[in-house]
Amino acid sequence: MLTKEQLIEQINILRKQKNAVIMAHYYQRAELQDIADFVGDSLALARQAAKTDADIIVLCGVHFMGETAKIICPNKKVLIPDPNAGCSLADSCQAKDLALFKEQHPDYMVVSYVNTSAAVKALTDVVVTSSNALKIINQLPPEQKILFAPDKNLGNYINSVTGRNMYLWDGACHVHSRFSIEALLQLKKEYPNAKVLAHPECKKIILDIADVVGSTEALLNYVKNSDENMFIVATESGILHKMQSFCPQKTFITVPPEATEIEVNGKLTPCSCNECEYMRLNTLEKLYECLRDEKYEIKVEHYLARQAIKPIERMLQMS
Ligand code: 13P
Ligand code: SF4
């Protein structure tokens, strides 16, 4: 087995040899964020994929992020280190159910969060991420009927800020849905001067008391530019790595989850933190094997990719 230093050395050799770019989401393990050429939120990763001239894109994130990169760059090889890195939110909207909704509601425009499969994107009119959702929804005609899928928490938040009445798909992210409001209120009592930062995938009860609601990138920017010194953070704890490295003198406290056990793939699994177990499947060792063996390659059927690129391009134009 290679040591951490040897893995880093091999990854550095392989990425040069193969003209590969390594991109990582803010929820990735610290060592993956550190070795990546680019770290960003979902929107930034999509934008970066659109402009890279690398032959291989290694996406350290979850499956839908790799799929988005592949749809944007159909002629490049897109790899993810672990093929099981899924997303509970993307799973909560199946293409066949969305197709049925569209059949029954032909007057609705479909706006989908980027956390969706290629098949769902192919049925979508415009894709949004948590960074650009408000901006894009505000550009749509006020009288337009909209289905927002699949995150009901983000959808509800957009409705409350924009005054729209979008119909919401009944989906949610299991990580962001499980933050404990009791624990958050207790933390606020203990640290009255701390600012509460929340990702819009959190439940309304959490968002209602947050001082700042935003995408991973927006929360990071807030921390960097703020004069405040203490923050209570309601999102996946991987973001703390960048927050702490940009602002080593500031204090970050994570909000604990409600339960100590959660259901993953139908099995009760111990949970004592606010990590996304899908994101955490990727490791330095898997990244090395991914580059060495050029696995696991993301494939998207041509006919799906041709449909799915349209709402992604629309998003990139509108954001
Ligand atoms: P961002 O778009 O804020 O990076 O969020 C992606 C995600 O999966 C949040 O759970
Ligand atoms: Fe999906 Fe939630 Fe994990 Fe983000 S944190 S990748 S929405 S399961």
Side-chain angles (χ1 to χ4, degrees):
M1 207 167 111
L2 299 180
T3 63
K4 185 178 173 187
E5 288 67 33
Q6 288 168 329
L7 285 171
I8 292 173
E9 197 186 321
Q10 288 305 310
I11 290 168
N12 286 336
I13 293 172
L14 286 166
R15 70 166 149 203
K16 254 198 210 129
Q17 256 175 20
K18 301 191 179 207
N19 189 26
V21 64
I22 301 171
M23 300 188 194
H25 187 265
Y26 289 123
Y27 295 165
Q28 289 295 286
R29 293 169 187 274
E31 58 272 27
L32 291 175
Q33 294 192 42
D34 289 343
I35 204 165
D37 297 291
F38 181 80
V39 185
D41 67 0
S42 306
L43 178 62
L45 292 172
R47 282 193 170 132
Q48 196 64 23
K51 63 181 186 205
T52 185
D53 54 12
D55 296 317
I56 297 179
I57 299 173
V58 180
L59 209 310
C60 297
V62 291
H63 192 268
F64 78 81
M65 295 175 177
E67 248 185 11
T68 307
K70 181 68 188 174
I71 294 164
I72 293 172
C73 313
N75 300 323
K76 293 193 191 295
K77 195 173 247 188
V78 178
L79 306 173
I80 52 171
D82 190 310
N84 297 314
C87 169
S88 59
L89 180 52
D91 289 347
S92 63
C93 182
Q94 297 300 316
K96 64 173 180 9
D97 300 325
L98 180 56
L100 188 64
F101 178 94
K102 283 179 56 131
E103 212 177 288
Q104 291 168 347
H105 305 86
D107 50 340
Y108 274 71
M109 177 175 186
V110 177
V111 178
S112 293
Y113 194 30
V114 68
N115 298 43
T116 43
S117 66
V120 165
K121 288 188 178 78
L123 295 168
T124 292
D125 295 297
V126 60
V127 167
V128 298
T129 74
S130 50
S131 278
N132 59 23
L134 286 172
K135 189 173 178 189
I136 291 179
I137 298 293
N138 274 330
Q139 291 174 59
L140 303 176
E143 65 286 359
Q144 174 65 55
K145 288 183 184 171
I146 299 172
L147 165 71
F148 186 82
D151 190 2
K152 61 183 170 190
N153 293 323
L154 174 61
N156 187 47
Y157 173 71
I158 299 169
N159 274 346
S160 69
V161 175
T162 62
R164 298 198 75 125
N165 189 21
M166 301 188 299
Y167 185 81
L168 308 180
W169 197 266
D170 189 16
C173 156
H174 73 290
V175 179
H176 288 86
S177 301
R178 71 188 177 207
F179 291 121
S180 160
I181 183 65
E182 289 77 19
L184 175 55
L185 291 172
Q186 184 57 35
L187 285 171
K188 265 179 77 77
K189 225 191 251 171
E190 282 171 42
Y191 307 103
N193 295 327
K195 288 278 171 209
V196 178
L197 314 180
H199 194 279
E201 287 173 20
C202 293
K203 285 183 189 159
K204 179 173 170 11
I205 195 163
I206 301 276
L207 297 181
D208 280 349
I209 55 170
D211 297 296
V212 184
V213 177
S215 69
T216 46
E217 185 98 36
L219 298 182
L220 181 61
N221 285 337
Y222 182 83
V223 161
K224 281 200 254 178
N225 300 322
S226 164
D227 293 332
E228 312 288 336
N229 282 315
M230 192 177 273
F231 304 90
I232 300 171
V233 185
T235 189
E236 215 271 4
S237 55
I239 187 72
L240 263 65
H241 176 60
K242 282 280 179 236
M243 287 180 171
Q244 256 150 4
S245 48
F246 281 119
C247 308
Q249 75 291 0
K250 298 189 180 182
T251 305
F252 303 96
I253 306 156
T254 53
V255 182
E258 281 161 359
T260 51
E261 276 190 323
I262 51 150
E263 201 178 301
V264 180
N265 296 336
K267 272 197 287 180
L268 276 181
T269 309
C271 155
S272 56
C273 57
N274 39 22
E275 292 179 355
C276 170
E277 45 281 75
Y278 298 113
M279 286 279 183
R280 303 298 169 131
L281 283 174
N282 297 326
T283 61
L284 212 49
E285 187 154 18
K286 288 181 194 169
L287 171 59
Y288 159 62
E289 289 167 4
C290 166
L291 273 165
R292 184 193 64 193
D293 304 339
E294 300 191 15
K295 65 178 187 185
Y296 295 88
E297 189 172 354
I298 299 278
K299 304 254 188 208
V300 182
E301 301 282 356
H302 288 308
Y303 76 94
L304 264 189
R306 271 201 305 274
Q307 288 308 312
I309 189 66
K310 294 178 197 165
I312 295 174
E313 275 176 350
R314 200 164 176 196
M315 167 185 84
L316 293 172
Q317 281 154 13
M318 291 173 85
S319 57

